[in-house]
Amino acid sequence: MPMIDIPTRDGTADAYLAHPGDGAPHPAVLFCMDAFGLRPHLKSMADRLASEGYTVLVPNVFYRYGRAPVVELPEFINPAERPELVQAVGPAARTLTPEGAMRDAAVYLDWLAASPLTGDGPVGVTGYCMGAGLALRTAGAHPERIAAAAGFHGARLATDAPDSPHLLAGHITAELYFGHADRDSANPADQIARLEKALTEAGVEHRSEVYEGALHGFTQADTAMYGAEPTDRHWVALLDLFARRLTD
């Protein structure tokens, strides 16, 4: 599948596009990357999703810093043994503000809407780690476009910050699903409860589950945090959500 370039107000975002390969239009999905960025494993996840009948766009959201891969990564990522890898992505991550992320999301959604490979129906969003927050923000910023959004092992979804993603709950019309990691310092129990409360009070249709024993990053098979069982569970939940909410 091809890499493409998408012009934005702040530069050019490189992105991976996955499609069933039949030339026909399919429901669009915006795939929000984790902090380690657009790399072979994320492309394989997008390919898996595309094989289920979706046109999947995976932007390099750190394009302001550089084209993917924005940092040099080993084939197997183990932050415990190489903490410098986490430090290395910090400068790239700081180039993406909430405001910039939402400007970009509008551009990505416009690109998907204009593509002959997507249908006329609503869009789905899925995000991983930091991407779960981007998925939540996208659902809140573009309720007229997003029918389904999911986040897995999300980070800082419901903090005390004045721009925390959960504060957009009142704008969301999509159905949401969250698969939280049980062992995740980036998304502690009090933040999960705060997110749940905000969504419930806003009347957002959602399901929020804690995957027992799962680590932050459990879907990422090229990392030491990977878990086969929670990853399989994530695919079941994600595909069920999209099958119900996305139509051609």
Side-chain angles (χ1 to χ4, degrees):
M1 296 291 181
M3 290 292 295
I4 60 171
D5 285 343
I6 301 176
T8 78
R9 274 177 49 184
D10 299 324
T12 300
D14 48 320
Y16 181 70
L17 182 66
H19 181 268
D22 56 6
H26 291 273
V29 172
L30 180 62
F31 185 121
C32 301
M33 68 184 215
D34 67 348
F36 289 122
L38 184 51
R39 60 194 191 280
H41 175 63
L42 289 195
K43 293 177 182 179
S44 71
M45 291 182 71
D47 290 344
R48 164 77 184 274
L49 191 50
S51 73
E52 299 288 343
Y54 300 99
T55 297
V56 185
L57 183 69
V58 192
N60 166 27
V61 301
F62 294 159
Y63 70 87
R64 293 172 181 82
Y65 186 81
R67 297 180 71 85
V70 294
V71 297
E72 186 175 346
L73 295 170
E75 289 187 11
F76 185 74
I77 302 167
N78 187 345
E81 293 182 354
R82 297 196 50 192
E84 75 275 8
L85 293 176
V86 176
Q87 297 170 0
V89 301
R94 286 191 287 274
T95 65
L96 184 68
T97 64
E99 296 77 17
M102 290 306 90
R103 284 201 309 272
D104 291 346
V107 172
Y108 304 145
L109 293 172
D110 284 345
W111 189 94
L112 284 166
S115 172
L117 297 178
T118 63
D120 295 330
V123 178
V125 188
T126 185
Y128 301 85
C129 303
M130 59 162 270
L134 295 177
L136 183 56
R137 291 187 190 279
T138 301
H142 303 282
E144 75 287 355
R145 298 190 183 201
I146 307 300
F152 299 93
H153 43 82
R156 294 175 287 281
L157 298 175
T159 70
D160 293 326
D163 59 358
S164 176
H166 79 288
L167 298 176
L168 294 170
H171 301 282
I172 294 171
T173 58
E175 180 181 348
L176 305 186
Y177 177 88
F178 289 97
H180 303 293
D182 183 34
R183 300 160 61 188
D184 192 348
S185 61
N187 190 35
D190 63 316
Q191 290 194 29
I192 294 175
R194 184 182 293 147
L195 174 64
E196 181 75 17
K197 183 173 185 288
L199 295 175
T200 299
E201 290 181 348
V204 177
E205 185 176 359
H206 71 283
R207 189 154 59 103
S208 181
E209 298 183 313
V210 177
Y211 291 16
E212 185 176 354
L215 298 171
H216 179 75
F218 62 76
T219 62
Q220 304 303 300
D222 60 349
T223 76
M225 294 79 79
Y226 174 68
E229 184 176 343
T231 295
D232 288 345
R233 182 177 173 183
H234 128 273
W235 281 117
V236 171
L238 180 63
L239 294 174
D240 173 70
L241 174 66
F242 284 175
R244 287 185 292 102
R245 290 296 182 176
L246 304 185
T247 57
D248 289 324

